[in-house]
Amino acid sequence: MARIVVVTSGKGGVGKTTTSASFSAGLAMRGHKTVVIDFDVGLRNLDLIMGCERRVVYDFVNVIQGEASLNQALIRDKQLENLFILPASQTRDKDALTKEGVEKVLDELANMGFEYIICDSPAGIETGALMASYFADDAIVVTNPEVSSVRDSDRILGILSAKSRRAEQGEEPIKEYLLLTRYSAKRVADGEMLSLQDIEDILRIKLVGVVPESEAVLQASNQGIPAIHLRDTDVAAAYQDVISRYLGEELPLRFTEYEKPGLFKRLFGGK
């Protein structure tokens, strides 16, 4: 039985697509047959981050409208043979996504043996975001440690609990996981960002990981690879931890404490 996971947020630019790419790649690295779908019709960035933009021939909307088969539109990842990408359309309107069409594609993917279907949602609450969330079993809510991002995430949690298929049919609610991105323990210590405790107190959902602020994310997207592939970086380690926790392992949190540099470090350029 396929598990449908939506990666969502209320605010743009918080790292959803970076997370969708690394989360799906991380599951595939653990041996799970995984597909990641770009629901951001009209903008489409997932294929760039996955490094397959030149291989896009057919897209998600082509499949929904019967202009191509799912096999024609799916792109196999270059590095992981059990990871596939279903890109969004750049030329269609978001209204091209219909509930019936999306359900048909998800059912077909499940019948193809995919264990995890990751839905990379656009920000906010427009059609693409609602479609990405509607059929979800799990939700990764991506939030930055700033007030506007946390407030918008709270709004998304309300939509997940009220407007999903599970809510409509009175089934067990969507499992919600909080992922904190661009977290700087130093800036939290300096009072420039909300603390982990502040955010957990406001949102009150299970924390699945903390991804530190890092230039490695930009480096990964420029190279067209998910950040989880950048060996020996804090970001890759953080996403590996996220996968482990999501799959049920108990791990201590990393990258949340700020260690003040000692006198020697301060004298010789340490921050």
Side-chain angles (χ1 to χ4, degrees):
M1 186 78 178
R3 193 91 185 154
I4 300 170
V5 185
V6 64
V7 178
T8 185
S9 77
K11 193 169 182 286
V14 298
K16 272 187 315 303
T17 300
T18 295
T19 294
S20 295
S22 285
F23 189 73
S24 55
L27 288 169
M29 288 159 91
R30 298 289 185 98
H32 299 288
K33 188 177 181 186
T34 304
V35 59
V36 56
I37 307 173
D38 190 346
F39 274 79
D40 203 353
V41 174
L43 290 177
R44 193 170 92 189
N45 283 315
L46 182 67
D47 55 307
L48 284 169
I49 287 180
M50 303 293 284
C52 63
E53 70 277 9
R54 292 195 187 100
R55 295 158 62 202
V56 176
V57 178
Y58 295 109
D59 57 54
F60 191 15
V61 173
N62 291 141
V63 178
I64 285 175
Q65 298 191 341
E67 297 158 354
S69 71
L70 201 44
N71 273 324
Q72 286 176 297
L74 284 172
I75 301 169
R76 189 191 287 268
D77 184 68
K78 291 175 185 172
Q79 303 188 62
L80 298 161
E81 62 175 27
N82 54 347
L83 176 61
F84 292 79
I85 300 101
L86 183 56
S89 170
Q90 277 186 310
T91 56
R92 306 295 180 95
D93 190 82
K94 293 182 193 302
D95 294 332
L97 297 178
T98 63
K99 213 174 264 187
E100 298 74 22
V102 171
E103 183 173 24
K104 184 170 174 288
V105 170
L106 294 175
D107 286 346
E108 199 175 332
L109 288 167
N111 291 332
M112 289 169 76
F114 284 100
E115 295 172 72
Y116 290 100
I117 300 170
I118 313 304
C119 303
D120 180 27
S121 170
I125 53 172
E126 41 77 9
T127 305
L130 294 174
M131 287 294 169
S133 301
Y134 183 76
F135 297 99
D137 299 308
D138 302 331
I140 309 286
V141 180
V142 183
T143 305
N144 289 162
E146 54 188 57
V147 173
S148 61
S149 179
V150 174
R151 184 193 62 192
D152 289 350
S153 292
D154 209 16
R155 177 113 192 260
I156 288 297
L157 290 171
I159 287 166
L160 289 171
S161 64
K163 290 195 170 184
S164 67
R165 179 170 64 176
R166 285 173 169 267
E168 284 180 5
Q169 297 181 355
E171 296 174 7
E172 193 180 317
I174 292 173
K175 273 191 180 173
E176 298 159 341
Y177 299 88
L178 172 63
L179 177 63
L180 208 50
T181 54
R182 296 185 180 158
Y183 193 83
S184 166
K186 181 183 187 304
R187 291 179 69 189
V188 170
D190 291 344
E192 296 172 16
M193 281 183 169
L194 292 175
S195 73
L196 190 57
Q197 189 63 55
D198 293 335
I199 297 162
E200 287 189 294
D201 286 348
I202 296 165
L203 297 179
R204 297 189 177 276
I205 59 173
K206 183 182 175 70
L207 182 68
V208 76
V210 175
V211 179
E213 199 168 36
S214 172
E215 290 176 10
V217 173
L218 182 61
Q219 182 190 336
S221 59
N222 285 341
Q223 288 180 28
I225 58 169
I228 200 167
H229 286 304
L230 290 180
R231 289 185 183 179
D232 304 320
T233 64
D234 287 352
V235 169
Y239 277 117
Q240 290 287 4
D241 285 359
V242 168
I243 298 298
S244 297
R245 290 193 196 95
Y246 174 76
L247 294 174
E249 296 173 37
E250 294 286 335
L251 288 179
L253 276 176
R254 295 195 272 178
F255 317 116
T256 59
E257 300 297 325
Y258 173 58
E259 287 183 26
K260 288 187 178 176
L263 177 63
F264 185 82
K265 250 190 168 181
R266 288 202 303 273
L267 287 173
F268 292 95
K271 290 182 181 177

